[in-house]
Structure formats: structure tokens, C-alpha cells
Amino acid sequence: MSNKHIATARRVLDEEARAVAALSERVSDDFERACDRILQCRGRVIVTGMGKSGHIGSKVAATLASTGTPAFFVHPGEASHGDLGMITSDDEVLALSNSGETGEILTIIPVIKRKGTGLISMTGRPDSSLARLSDVHLDVAVEEEACPHNLAPTSSTTATLAMGDALAIALLEARGFTAEDFALSHPGGSLGRRLLLKVDDIMHTDERLPRVRQDASLSEALLEMTRKGQGMTTVVDDAGLLVGLFTDGDLRRTLEKGLDIRQAGIAEVMSTHPVTMAPGQLAAEALKIMETRKINGLIVCDAERRPLGALNTQDLLRAGVM
């Protein structure tokens, strides 16, 4: 079997890696100025680009938006036919063009200037028309494309994407953007569920919370467990405070001891030091506790140890936390 495809893949990856690595030497005060302009921007970052640069621009805009910098992509061709109305004097335009001579972008520059909108560009030619017209220019030039004909945008688009990521992360750090802030932009993803979902959101409360008094019989506790379907029941004293927990595992251990479940009281067989959580804690924390302690359920209690809710691994699974 020929390995020519593997050799090509490695060559392309090596060439693009070198193109990205070379960018770090060209990150200068212009990068600092670009960050400062965006941080001071009262509006949004409007990213624009044509062709392959447009595809990269869409991704850069999405990355900026999801990391704390409001941004969206405007197609330069559509901008000439009405979409320029989306751009205001409070915004900052980020224009991407490898040649710096993209006609569709140069056409809208006079209007952008007339609006008083700031202009940052990323090009592969610092002496290009777009670079000269910009308030700040970021050099993303590459020595050659990974394409054997040095034509197809490959290394150049990778370099532009990497510079866009560098810009987004520099802004993220400057804003003090946290993982929870990130989750607010991704509520439908697994990260959002891990960082936003609280135990309060999924626990069984009120009539769905299994509960028996400490003077109840084991038979009564089993009926409560069956009715509530949680595989456990809380045990409370006369004041309604948690004094114990009885689970399916406790039932198996009780049967192994040969106790008569029809005669035994719940106080004889319950666990007297159940694992609990406070309300407002993350569901992901509940999962970690369950995995560490090798248990299938948790009780959520207030500061006085009054049971507020119950949850188990099935609840976490349904909520997408695990």
C-alpha cells in the first residue's frame, strides 16, 4: 500500500503549523491597539470577508460572540445592498482579506469611514489598499500556501483563523470572562448544563419528596419508596428535620441480616449519617459526590437539616449532566 497520502497530509500539516508559528513573531503593538479599540467599542464587532476569508470570518465572529465580545458577520456583497444599515458608528469592523484588495470590501470602506466606524483589518499584505485604509492592521502573511500550486487558500486561512482566536482569547482575558459566562452563551451544550444547572432545578420536592417519620415501620417506608419511585426515603423527626435515610441498598443489607421487614422499624435499619447537599449547588457537584461516595442518591437540606428535595443518578442522566 502506498503511503503517498500520508506523506501529503503530514506535509500540509507541517506547512500550516509553520505558518501559524511564524505569526507570533509579528504580534506587535498593532495587536495591542486592536484589542484596546474593541474593548472601548460601545457597539459590536462586525466581521466581514469574501470567499474563504468570509468562512473564516463567520467562525471568528462566532468565537468572539461566545467569549464575551458581541460580534456578528456581515457579507460584504450583501452590505452593498442594504446590510450596511446593520453597522453603526459605535461598532468596530474587522475585515479579513488575504490580498487586501478584495473589491467587495474596498467598495464599502468609504461608507464605513463616513459613518465614523472603526476599521481593523487582517491581511497578508501590509502594503495593500485595505491595510492602508485601516485604523489598525494585523499582518497574517504566510510564505506559501499548503496547496502544491500555491493557490488554494490553506495556510493563509489557517493563519487568519489562528489570529482571530488569539484576538478573541486576549479579549476574553481582558474582560475577566469566566467559565460560567461562557456557559451562559451555551445553555444547550453539555458545558452549559454542567455550569448552569443547579440541584434545585432537578430535585424532587414537596409531594414528590419521599419522607417518613422516624417512628414509622419498615413496611411503611417501603410503601413510601414505591409511591415516590426514588429508590430511597428520608426519615425525619417530629420537627421535620432529617435524622436518617433508607435506600434500596439498605434494604438489601437488611434482608441479608435476616430481619423481618414486617416487624422492623425504620429507625433500626436507616442510615443515620446520609450524604446531603445545600440548595443552590451545581448538579455537576452532586454527580461528583455520588461518584466519589459510590451512592445513587442525595438529599438537599437547608441549614437546619430540613429536607428540601431528593435526586438520584437517573435525574442527573435525564438532565444531561452525565
Side-chain angles (χ1 to χ4, degrees), residues 23 55-57 59-60 63 96 122 140 155-167:
L23 288 181
H55 295 309
I56 297 301
K59 193 275 180 184
V60 170
T63 300
L96 313 182
M122 290 187 196
V140 291
S155 298
S156 60
T157 49
T158 301
T160 304
L161 180 61
M163 186 64 81
D165 286 343
L167 190 63

Side-chain angles (χ1 to χ4, degrees), residues 202-220:
I202 59 175
M203 68 185 186
H204 298 263
T205 62
D206 302 325
E207 294 303 315
R208 296 186 302 153
L209 172 63
R211 184 186 345 238
V212 296
R213 292 166 60 93
Q214 61 184 343
D215 58 358
S217 67
L218 176 54
S219 297
E220 290 174 312

Side-chain angles (χ1 to χ4, degrees), residues 208-212 218-235 245-252 266:
R208 296 186 302 153
L209 172 63
R211 184 186 345 238
V212 296
L218 176 54
S219 297
E220 290 174 312
L222 293 176
L223 288 174
E224 178 71 356
M225 291 169 64
T226 301
R227 282 194 296 266
K228 303 298 171 64
Q230 286 293 295
M232 61 181 173
T233 183
T234 60
V235 183
L245 182 71
F246 188 77
T247 68
D248 288 338
D250 293 321
L251 176 59
R252 287 191 295 272
I266 191 63

Side-chain angles (χ1 to χ4, degrees), residues 211 213 235-243 304-307:
R211 184 186 345 238
R213 292 166 60 93
V235 183
V236 298
D237 61 16
D238 294 340
L241 304 183
L242 184 71
V243 294
E304 297 178 349
R305 288 187 64 81
R306 183 174 290 101

